[in-house]
Amino acid sequence: EEDYKILEDYTCKLFQRGTEIANQQGLILVDTKYEFGKTADGEIVVIDEIHTPDSSRYFYLDGYQERQDKGEKQKQLSKEFVREWLIENGFQGKEGQKVPNLPAEFIELVTQRYIELYEKITGKEFVKADTLTIHQRIQDNLDANFKNE
């Protein structure tokens, strides 16, 4: 029960802050998921990304009410369109199903949607990183964040 109360408190605070940030950027944080774990000393911590298109759905604030009043589908930023594409192409993650090959145009669309969400949420322009040094960047980030373990 004690852990549940802590999780409830963290979840409500994270969602409230995510909602505030989204609203400042013209978005509505519709729903999300948070994943928690415990450190070796029992502290409850967030263990996965938060408020990304992989964990959350956002609707555009502009035009939301009009679409709602008309019963129209909301304009959103999330990975839902990827899920819909997979279903339309015969994949639902069931046993024996093979993930269909994603066309280059669709991969580009996914990339652009993720960049759009990044820019909407942060208010910053997305700058693609140099991929020639990606392995070194990963190692540097691991070293910087786990140097005491």
Side-chain angles (χ1 to χ4, degrees):
E1 184 177 348
E2 180 181 328
D3 285 351
Y4 175 82
K5 288 178 181 178
I6 293 169
L7 291 169
E8 181 180 32
D9 180 57
Y10 287 177
T11 298
C12 289
K13 287 177 179 174
L14 286 168
F15 192 80
Q16 178 61 39
R17 184 65 180 131
T19 297
E20 291 167 4
I21 292 168
N23 284 340
Q24 291 168 2
Q25 300 299 335
L27 297 171
I28 301 168
L29 176 59
V30 179
D31 58 29
T32 192
K33 69 175 178 70
Y34 303 114
E35 295 182 27
F36 298 95
K38 281 189 174 182
T39 62
D41 63 355
E43 180 184 10
I44 295 175
V45 294
V46 175
I47 61 169
D48 202 3
E49 91 281 341
I50 61 171
H51 304 149
T52 70
D54 287 340
S55 64
S56 307
R57 283 188 308 150
Y58 293 89
F59 290 166
Y60 284 86
L61 192 54
D62 184 39
Y64 169 82
Q65 194 58 54
E66 296 91 299
R67 285 186 291 278
Q68 194 72 4
D69 292 344
K70 293 177 183 177
E72 296 176 355
K73 188 175 179 180
Q74 292 293 334
K75 183 177 176 192
Q76 67 174 297
L77 283 172
S78 71
K79 69 176 184 180
E80 184 62 27
F81 77 102
V82 175
R83 188 176 297 114
E84 290 170 356
W85 185 91
L86 289 168
I87 291 169
E88 287 170 11
N89 286 274
F91 182 78
Q92 296 176 317
K94 295 179 180 176
E95 188 175 332
Q97 290 184 329
K98 183 179 175 197
V99 178
N101 288 328
L102 301 173
E105 303 81 30
F106 187 73
I107 293 170
E108 181 60 26
L109 177 63
V110 172
T111 300
Q112 292 309 314
R113 289 264 187 107
Y114 273 59
I115 290 171
E116 180 181 357
L117 181 57
Y118 170 86
E119 292 180 343
K120 282 295 280 181
I121 291 294
T122 65
K124 299 176 184 174
E125 181 183 352
F126 179 80
V127 178
K128 290 186 179 181
D130 175 13
T131 58
L132 296 176
T133 61
I134 195 164
H135 292 98
Q136 188 59 51
R137 285 185 20 244
I138 292 170
Q139 189 61 55
D140 291 347
N141 282 318
L142 288 170
D143 291 347
N145 289 290
F146 296 101
K147 58 185 168 195
N148 296 328
E149 294 184 18

